[in-house]
Amino acid sequence: MTTVDAILRDAPAEICRPWLRHILRHDEWIALAQAAVAEARVLVALWADTAKVHALFLDPAGLTIIAVSTPAEAGSYPALSPFLPGAALYERMIHDLWGHQATGAADVRPWLDHGHWLLSQPMSTRPGPPGQPGQPGVPNYFEPGDTMILPLGPIWGPLDEAAHLRLSVAGPTIRHADALLGFTHKGTLALMRGKSPRIAARFAARLSGDATVAHSVAFSRAVEAAMEVEVPARAVALRIAMMEIERVAVHLDTLAEVGRLADSPIVRSRCSLLRETLVRASDIAFGHRLMMDCAIPGGVAADIAESGSEAILRALGDIASQLSSIRRLHDGAALSSRLVGVGRAGGALAASLGVGGVVGRASGYAFDARIGFVSDYGQFAPRIAVRHDGDAAARQHQRIFEIEESLRLIGAALDYLPDGPVTVALPQVSGEGIGCAESVRGDVWHWLRLDHGQIAAVFPRDPGWALWPLAERVLEGAAAEDIDLIRASLALNASGMDL
Amino acid sequence: MAPRPDPIDPAAVESLRAGLEEAAQARLGRSLAIRHVNTGSCNGCELELRALHGVLYELERFGIKFVESPLHADVLLVTGPLTRNLAAAMVQARDATPDPKWVVAVGDCAVDGGVYRGSYAVLGGAGMGVPVDLLIRGCPPSPGTILAGLRTLLEANLN
Ligand code: SF4
């Protein structure tokens, strides 16, 4: 069997900073993906533009990335899903947005398009008439029938998400789970197209509220790579502080939510109080509780307020002083009996789907984009922990560890903070780039192409693309009564991948 | 050391609390029951609703409680732009809520579609699907802003 390197060596390439994007014939496209699987590379993202389909593969051991493309000739391209299960949702999304058919796909049901939009294939050069609601396979909130539907909001479910899990249940055990998403699709890619990076950044910041800083930074890095501009050192340090504050705040929110569902009011109240203390400090420092729109292409929107560092450091002190007691609560019999063994994700599954973040690292898959892909972190040297149990208990402990490490990184970034400007002007140039960041749920990647300073094509990869397929597998065999706990523990979130 | 809760300004919180509880009692003779409806949110508004829901604001003291079904709700708190994929669900949630009921649009997206106005996949704000009684702006609005909005709603409907 041929190797990835052998195929790439002979393929023509285009510049996609900081890498190359290789153009493959259809037969090479399949051969490369098969070789990538054999070499334990991970599919990070699969997306399209009007003419081609693109894929991003990661070598988690060597920390290298390869970007490849194949033409969507006469509207079709060879499917990867028959041997790469993680490709299936992307292929359905590509069909719904661009109209390219994945020949031989494992699953051809609609994903984002439920038949309600003003038009179909909205990203293609020639969008079609609206689809039809109620076709087989189109998710429907009012589905009657014999399968058990677990709606996660917006009406009947107990939760804040707008998504569905279609479950078949045997007694107390879940036999099969099928995630149905797309309900919160907002047409984000079409809205970003044709805009300047600074304006399009507002949409990147709103892909997913729990990762607004991470998505903003990944998008900004892609813009800066494409334009070959260097961000001032002060802005780099402020972005690190913001990304780590976001990680701490959202981990605290998840700890609180899991605590609530696991009948620990004390974990819930302590963690939500600490989260509140921190987001108020963010408001003082950066002018926004969630730091939305604070990281922008070229730097950060505004310098940290004069009293900002002090407010943040005070909040960090409050959190630090309570972390060991929060950890002890998780070691106690009450919580651990509720969390140990629940929602167990295997390391092989996480690696094969490319699930990074807390879920991956708590299952033995040691990938963190801060190591190897985000050079800004270099001098701060983040420490990464890896656990192997893969259950809800391991994920809570992983979050507590990551909070502690982020507290150190925030302190170091604010302490280092060099003087100087916080933005750089953006040239009106053309180019292509990829940027990445480690969000609270895992690695976020943005790809984009600029045409004279405007967005010509863009795709953001939210960690949800990997997390939801993993959740389906984790739920199989789980106790039906644990669904909410498992969902909260995996921090499933629909908006980022609903686009 | 315990973290300082410092919920907005304590005097403002006390006046909010008194106003809300009094209004809820006068209007309903009990707590105001709220059901959250996500019509396409980015989850930013949910993070702040969860903070409101969290013990920090001790909602019961304010005469407010969150409920899990529209059947038991007085108020539907709507977050997110109204996506076409959720439009029918929004109407169903409203129809399932017994009268008298109020619909509150929380966040710039629910107010008028926010940055998503004009998208092929979005109808606009919550008002494009159902009549809306109160708009609470912000992206996302803070828990304190949401509370203040709820008090306005109750007071306006006292008589
Ligand atoms: S108002 Fe802002 S925070 Fe709320 S859903 Fe819209 S974009 Fe997200």
Side-chain angles (χ1 to χ4, degrees):
Chain A
M1 193 182 194
T2 184
T3 64
V4 165
D5 287 342
I7 298 167
L8 294 183
R9 204 174 311 132
D10 299 327
E14 295 175 0
I15 290 173
C16 175
R17 293 191 168 88
W19 298 293
L20 292 174
R21 185 170 49 74
H22 297 267
I23 315 295
L24 306 179
R25 295 188 316 261
H26 284 180
D27 60 321
E28 293 169 327
W29 167 261
I30 289 290
L32 180 124
Q34 284 172 337
V37 172
E39 295 171 22
R41 298 183 195 236
V42 167
L43 178 74
V44 173
L46 184 65
W47 73 101
D49 58 27
T50 50
K52 292 192 179 75
V53 176
H54 313 288
L56 202 62
F57 288 93
L58 162 77
D59 173 0
L63 295 181
T64 53
I65 277 284
I66 49 177
V68 291
S69 307
T70 202
E73 279 157 16
S76 65
Y77 65 102
L80 304 182
S81 51
F83 55 91
L84 239 182
L89 297 184
Y90 289 112
E91 289 170 357
R92 293 164 69 183
M93 173 272 294
I94 289 171
H95 178 263
D96 287 356
L97 293 185
W98 286 278
H100 309 320
Q101 300 268 6
T103 311
D107 190 341
V108 295
R109 290 175 297 161
W111 178 247
L112 299 177
D113 187 350
H114 301 179
H116 302 293
W117 301 342
L118 283 177
L119 69 193
S120 56
Q121 292 142 20
M123 301 299 291
S124 76
T125 41
R126 253 172 293 156
Q132 271 174 19
Q135 282 174 337
V138 172
N140 181 347
Y141 258 101
F142 316 111
E143 214 151 4
D146 38 16
T147 43
M148 173 179 164
I149 302 286
L150 179 79
L152 307 180
I155 319 168
W156 301 114
L159 304 162
D160 291 339
E161 280 302 323
H164 269 179
L165 283 166
R166 183 183 284 146
L167 306 170
S168 47
V169 182
T173 309
I174 299 167
R175 283 274 166 259
H176 183 77
D178 192 15
L180 306 174
L181 273 74
F183 295 102
T184 73
H185 177 74
K186 301 182 255 302
T188 300
L189 302 190
L191 290 165
M192 291 174 90
R193 207 165 47 175
K195 298 213 166 61
S196 75
R198 286 265 166 91
I199 292 179
R202 297 180 64 78
F203 296 96
R206 283 159 182 76
L207 280 160
S208 192
D210 66 351
T212 175
V213 179
H215 271 293
S216 295
V217 169
F219 173 78
S220 300
R221 285 182 203 282
V223 171
E224 291 147 10
M227 292 180 167
E228 294 186 277
V229 299
E230 191 89 20
V231 173
R234 188 174 177 84
V236 169
L238 287 173
R239 281 183 183 180
I240 288 180
M242 289 180 195
M243 283 191 284
E244 298 305 320
I245 291 169
E246 174 170 89
R247 191 179 326 281
V248 174
V250 178
H251 275 342
L252 284 168
D253 179 68
T254 307
L255 289 176
E257 186 64 5
V258 171
R260 178 178 76 83
L261 292 163
D263 305 313
S264 176
I266 179 153
V267 165
R268 182 202 184 190
S269 64
R270 285 212 196 159
C271 292
S272 52
L273 223 88
L274 290 171
R275 183 255 175 200
E276 182 65 22
T277 310
L278 182 59
V279 299
R280 283 187 195 164
S282 306
D283 197 15
I284 294 170
F286 302 109
H288 193 286
R289 287 164 53 97
L290 309 184
M291 299 167 289
M292 202 175 252
D293 302 320
C294 290
I296 56 167
V300 295
D303 207 341
I304 185 168
E306 219 170 297
S307 53
S309 283
E310 195 197 318
I312 299 276
L313 294 176
R314 204 179 317 122
L316 301 190
D318 286 347
I319 296 166
S321 71
Q322 299 214 21
L323 267 190
S324 47
S325 82
I326 292 171
R327 188 178 280 127
R328 270 199 306 279
L329 283 165
H330 281 86
D331 286 331
L335 252 185
S336 51
S337 69
R338 192 70 192 85
L339 298 176
V340 169
V342 169
R344 197 184 291 276
L349 177 65
S352 71
L353 290 169
V355 175
V358 164
V359 175
R361 291 189 288 275
S363 312
Y365 178 58
F367 181 68
D368 186 315
R370 292 176 296 176
I371 308 292
F373 291 100
V374 192
S375 54
D376 306 346
Y377 276 97
Q379 60 177 310
F380 303 114
R383 286 182 305 152
I384 310 300
V386 180
R387 288 178 164 69
H388 295 275
D389 288 343
D391 57 5
R395 290 190 285 271
Q396 290 291 88
H397 279 290
Q398 183 71 20
R399 289 185 174 103
I400 295 168
F401 168 86
E402 293 191 3
I403 289 172
E404 193 168 25
E405 177 62 1
S406 293
L407 296 182
R408 182 184 74 79
L409 292 168
I410 300 162
L414 291 178
D415 184 45
Y416 161 71
L417 214 56
D419 289 334
V422 295
T423 42
V424 62
L426 301 179
Q428 301 276 308
V429 294
S430 302
E432 188 179 318
I434 292 178
C436 117
E438 180 69 23
S439 84
V440 68
R441 283 178 291 116
D443 41 319
V444 164
W445 301 79
H446 282 238
W447 167 87
L448 52 82
R449 191 159 54 226
L450 298 171
D451 185 8
H452 296 90
Q454 307 231 298
I455 308 275
V458 59
F459 185 75
R461 182 269 193 191
D462 184 87
W465 287 103
L467 276 167
W468 281 89
L470 175 126
E472 290 177 337
R473 301 282 304 279
V474 166
L475 283 170
E476 286 167 12
E481 61 175 17
D482 287 338
I483 290 171
D484 286 346
L485 191 54
I486 294 172
R487 188 228 38 125
S489 167
L490 295 174
L492 289 176
N493 176 323
S495 178
M497 65 182 295
D498 273 351
L499 300 168
Chain B
M1 184 185 60
R4 291 167 281 277
D6 182 31
I8 24 183
D9 158 27
V13 168
E14 189 41 44
S15 108
L16 260 182
R17 192 201 66 74
L20 263 171
E21 198 188 3
E22 188 186 309
Q25 286 298 334
R27 184 71 179 79
L28 306 162
R30 55 169 169 78
S31 288
L32 185 71
I34 292 178
R35 166 67 202 193
H36 165 228
V37 179
N38 172 349
T39 62
S41 159
C42 79
N43 298 315
C45 282
E46 278 67 19
L47 279 170
E48 294 297 52
L49 277 181
R50 200 143 61 225
L52 177 70
H53 196 176
V55 287
L56 188 71
Y57 286 88
E58 296 176 61
L59 279 187
E60 299 287 350
R61 280 205 313 136
F62 289 84
I64 294 175
K65 64 170 192 273
F66 276 81
V67 295
E68 294 206 343
S69 160
L71 296 175
H72 308 118
D74 306 303
V75 174
L76 296 181
L77 272 192
V78 186
T79 58
L82 183 58
T83 66
R84 289 181 179 270
N85 286 349
L86 284 169
M90 162 84 255
V91 172
Q92 195 204 24
R94 187 193 182 264
D95 290 348
T97 310
D99 288 320
K101 60 192 160 199
W102 299 300
V103 177
V104 177
V106 174
D108 289 348
C109 286
V111 166
D112 62 6
V115 298
Y116 300 103
R117 257 174 303 172
S119 164
Y120 64 82
V122 166
L123 282 163
M128 295 303 286
V130 298
V132 172
D133 299 284
L134 181 74
L135 306 174
I136 301 179
R137 285 177 205 279
C139 181
S142 69
T145 307
I146 301 171
L147 264 188
L150 290 174
R151 184 175 74 159
T152 311
L153 177 83
L154 273 173
E155 287 178 348
N157 287 282
L158 259 182
N159 307 312

